[in-house]
Amino acid sequence: MLSHRACWAAIAQGDARYGAIFEDDIVFAAKAGALLRDSDWIPADAEVVKLESYFCKTVIRRKRIAIGHGFSTSKLDAGHIGTAGYIISRQTALDLIKATEEIGIAVDDLVFNPEFSVLRGETIYQLVPALCAQDQFLGDRALQLPSLLREKRDIQCAAGTGRRRKTAIAKVKAEARRIGKRIADFCRLKRRMVIPFTYPSQSSAGS
């Protein structure tokens, strides 16, 4: 939280309308530099743009805005935990600094978890595909980047380990709920998906 607050303070005190924040074990897509050269592509009403993928299912609006270089943006309609890569407006940086003077929850929840976020009235967008991802989540493609951030993360993207096996009836009910959610999302012009990430080429990763 303290490191993110320091970044928010730098953005709040600067002249630019937006600032980008990245944690130290981020792997970037090959076209990240081209996209980050300017901020003209950021939607006018965006206060936060999530750039990373946590490889967990989330909900975004079906309407996408193409922004070039193979990327698009869409409004984020559900929690998508993780603050390893995001863009934030100067005004939102100020708001977050004020909101965290006496608060102790994880920064991931503070920004991207609807149950705890202090940005409920703000407009949060998701970049599709993701611009970056943390090395620890890239599996056999990980670059084994060292990280100074060793915070314990209790992020549960899918079903947790050690659960009891579901009965047949429970499985049918769960499947019915899943289908019901998909139908509801479709009717509300929303899409439930895992945000994809385009891995950099070997030459790009080593440069």
Side-chain angles (χ1 to χ4, degrees), residues 29-43:
K31 296 181 180 179
L35 191 70
L36 293 174
R37 285 196 185 101
D38 60 63
S39 60
D40 293 343
W41 57 270
I42 300 175

Side-chain angles (χ1 to χ4, degrees), residues 30 143 200-207:
L143 304 179
S201 65
Q202 197 65 33
S203 58
S204 297
S207 61

Side-chain angles (χ1 to χ4, degrees), residues 13-35:
Q13 294 166 9
D15 296 326
R17 184 182 175 190
Y18 293 97
I21 299 173
F22 300 100
E23 291 183 1
D24 61 355
D25 59 345
I26 277 293
V27 175
F28 288 97
K31 296 181 180 179
L35 191 70

Side-chain angles (χ1 to χ4, degrees), residues 1-14 19-21 48 83 86-101 103 105-112 118-119:
M1 174 65 80
L2 293 178
S3 63
H4 282 269
R5 288 190 90 241
C7 293
W8 298 339
I11 293 170
Q13 294 166 9
I21 299 173
V48 180
T83 47
Y86 61 104
I87 289 174
I88 190 171
S89 72
R90 185 172 65 241
Q91 182 57 54
T92 301
L94 284 166
D95 294 341
L96 282 172
I97 290 172
K98 293 177 182 178
T100 54
E101 290 177 352
I103 198 166
I105 65 174
V107 66
D108 306 64
D109 289 321
L110 185 76
V111 180
F112 292 112
V118 299
L119 303 177

Side-chain angles (χ1 to χ4, degrees), residues 19-198:
I21 299 173
F22 300 100
E23 291 183 1
D24 61 355
D25 59 345
I26 277 293
V27 175
F28 288 97
K31 296 181 180 179
L35 191 70
L36 293 174
R37 285 196 185 101
D38 60 63
S39 60
D40 293 343
W41 57 270
I42 300 175
D45 62 338
E47 294 299 332
V48 180
V49 181
K50 186 175 178 67
L51 302 175
E52 71 173 311
S53 176
Y54 234 86
F55 304 105
C56 312
K57 280 190 177 182
T58 187
V59 179
I60 62 173
R61 298 282 178 88
R62 286 187 175 274
K63 181 181 179 181
R64 293 190 192 180
I65 303 171
I67 58 175
H69 307 291
F71 295 97
S72 64
T73 59
S74 182
K75 288 186 178 180
L76 189 61
D77 267 347
H80 188 195
I81 305 301
T83 47
Y86 61 104
I87 289 174
I88 190 171
S89 72
R90 185 172 65 241
Q91 182 57 54
T92 301
L94 284 166
D95 294 341
L96 282 172
I97 290 172
K98 293 177 182 178
T100 54
E101 290 177 352
E102 298 180 3
I103 198 166
I105 65 174
V107 66
D108 306 64
D109 289 321
L110 185 76
V111 180
F112 292 112
N113 187 340
E115 294 184 13
F116 300 100
S117 178
V118 299
L119 303 177
R120 292 185 180 183
E122 310 295 349
T123 302
I124 301 178
Y125 281 79
Q126 172 70 54
L127 193 69
V128 184
L131 187 80
C132 55
Q134 282 184 287
D135 190 58
Q136 61 179 310
F137 299 119
L138 298 184
D140 58 0
R141 298 198 185 191
L143 304 179
Q144 303 302 319
L145 297 176
S147 175
L148 299 177
L149 299 176
R150 296 301 180 189
E151 299 173 317
K152 182 179 180 181
R153 299 179 185 271
D154 292 325
I155 308 302
Q156 294 184 344
C157 303
T161 59
R163 293 187 310 168
R164 294 179 180 178
R165 292 186 177 181
K166 291 182 179 179
T167 64
I169 294 177
K171 288 181 179 179
V172 171
K173 289 182 177 179
E175 181 65 12
R177 286 194 296 270
R178 185 185 68 82
I179 294 174
K181 286 181 179 179
R182 287 198 172 188
I183 294 174
D185 288 341
F186 182 81
C187 294
R188 296 169 185 166
L189 301 179
K190 300 178 182 180
R191 182 181 180 187
R192 190 176 299 271
M193 65 180 293
V194 173
I195 304 301
F197 171 66
T198 303

